[in-house]
Amino acid sequence: MEITDDKLLKIALITSLIGIIGLIAFTPTIEVKQVDIKDINRGMIDEEVRVDGVISDVAQSKSKTSYFLTINDGEAQIQLIIFESQVAEIQSRNMGIEDFRDHKVEVVGTVTQYNSEMELVLSNGDSLRMVN
């Protein structure tokens, strides 16, 4: 059996379609790992995680474009960084960053380290939600 360019193209197209269908089918089932704040460590840098806690402090950057929120889950706390683009997304939902103060939230963010402290960078504007 001789493999021609035409056969190779068909094989590549079929394989691509199977891969795309697989991605569409399995993407909704992929969940971000839920962790306790005390368990976040350097081995998790660049990993996306979900944490729950209460926003105990809200501070704005000197440039007034970013926010630093302190999330406390009762055992530990961590800084959440919200950049300008995420602030705009949150405000487009008719909410201000200050509205989250003293409320329980669910956050999805990427673990980073700054000045030897672990922090979370908000993934997108929809990744910060108030919970009851």
Side-chain angles (χ1 to χ4, degrees):
M1 179 174 162
E2 184 179 329
I3 297 182
T4 63
D5 287 343
D6 192 40
K7 288 180 184 177
L8 191 58
L9 177 63
K10 288 179 184 177
I11 291 170
L13 284 173
I14 291 170
T15 306
S16 297
L17 285 174
I18 291 171
I20 291 170
I21 291 169
L23 283 173
I24 291 169
F26 292 111
T27 298
T29 62
I30 298 173
E31 291 194 25
V32 178
K33 181 168 71 171
Q34 172 83 36
V35 297
D36 292 328
I37 294 172
K38 66 179 172 47
D39 295 331
I40 296 175
N41 59 53
R42 286 176 177 74
M44 301 170 87
I45 291 177
D46 292 331
E47 200 174 309
E48 196 169 59
V49 298
R50 186 174 72 227
V51 298
D52 294 329
V54 175
I55 302 294
S56 59
D57 187 42
V58 176
Q60 198 170 23
S61 67
K62 292 177 186 174
S63 65
K64 307 274 189 215
T65 58
S66 302
Y67 283 86
F68 305 98
L69 282 62
T70 304
I71 304 171
N72 188 326
D73 68 359
E75 295 180 19
Q77 63 184 26
I78 193 166
Q79 195 88 4
L80 172 68
I81 314 304
I82 305 177
F83 291 113
E84 188 173 11
S85 60
Q86 289 102 357
V87 171
E89 285 181 56
I90 292 167
Q91 290 172 339
S92 73
R93 297 187 333 233
N94 295 324
M95 296 190 77
I97 302 300
E98 288 287 337
D99 296 340
F100 290 96
R101 185 189 305 267
D102 298 325
H103 284 90
K104 186 171 182 173
V105 295
E106 178 182 274
V107 175
V108 175
T110 304
V111 177
T112 62
Q113 182 178 357
Y114 181 73
N115 287 341
S116 73
E117 292 291 324
M118 303 309 294
E119 298 179 332
L120 288 178
V121 174
L122 190 67
S123 294
N124 61 54
D126 293 329
S127 297
L128 175 62
R129 303 184 308 122
M130 281 189 214
V131 294
N132 295 333

